[in-house]
Amino acid sequence: MIPIADYHMHTPLCGHAVGEPAEYVQHGIKAGLKEIGFSDHAPLVSHRDPKITMDFDQLPTYLKMIEHVQKQFAKQITVKISLEADFIPGYENKTQQIIDGYPYDYIIGSVHFIKTWGFDDPAERTSWKSKDVNQVYHDYYELLRQSAQSGKFDIIGHCDLVKKFGHRATENMFDEVKKTAKVFKETGVAIEINTAGLRKPIQEMYPSLDCLKIYCEAGIPLTFGSDAHAPQDVAKDFDKAFKLAQTAGFKEYITFKQRKVERVIKF
Ligand code: ZN
Ligand code: FE
Ligand code: FE
């Protein structure tokens, strides 16, 4: 069994993904998906970086590209249109403008930056050497909570991404996760099981089983995402993700349409 919907994938417009949207869709159909959602990196609100996200003037191209495959494959698979938007404090209005610019099916909110440091960017990995790892974790969880509290996002992306390169906090972070789960519940956001972590140095899904149990206990809704940056990664490791969700105690997951929960799918 695999989840029927993969809600997290990219396009070459972000500058670090390969393959045409049609190839992602075709791979999703082959993998047995009923639904996929494109969630390419929204234009960065704080600065420009063509290796990280599309630029503002590429947004119309993105939407046209995805609308095209939506029509092209309408008989075989449902294609949803989304963005993965960065949460960067101080730029809320600009982020809101992007989100309001189109009737997206859902918005994934992701924390990739602590202040101006792209902590998960391979190009900025060396900066970890000068950091207090525990403090980085505390800062990361604080930003996750703020991202949910911003009210801008439907799904919080890869909610322990801070572990990506293998840095582990020496302090116990369960209180941080519990605090975060409480905020997620209050603000009504969903989380995703994101399989991309398996393909990164940490070799573990985001978030970990221990975190997932806490989010499940708190009653946070669930989605699944491969975070594919290449067509062959669509639905990658979805069988494992499904099992992980069940082990964590989840009984269902959800799909979105025009920023509302569309379906609750029981395992
Ligand atoms: Zn990316
Ligand atoms: Fe991301
Ligand atoms: Fe992503």
Side-chain angles (χ1 to χ4, degrees), residues 8 10 41 84 227 229:
H8 194 147
H10 293 274
H41 296 284
E84 178 180 17
D227 213 342
H229 286 69

Side-chain angles (χ1 to χ4, degrees), residues 92-105:
E92 283 83 355
N93 291 344
K94 234 171 152 183
T95 305
Q96 191 65 48
Q97 269 174 29
I98 297 173
I99 295 170
D100 290 342
Y102 185 83
Y104 293 101
D105 287 304

Side-chain angles (χ1 to χ4, degrees), residues 72-92:
Q72 189 185 350
F73 294 97
K75 289 207 175 87
Q76 291 146 284
I77 192 166
T78 302
V79 176
K80 297 280 169 73
I81 306 184
S82 164
L83 286 173
E84 178 180 17
D86 284 279
F87 176 67
I88 304 176
Y91 293 88
E92 283 83 355

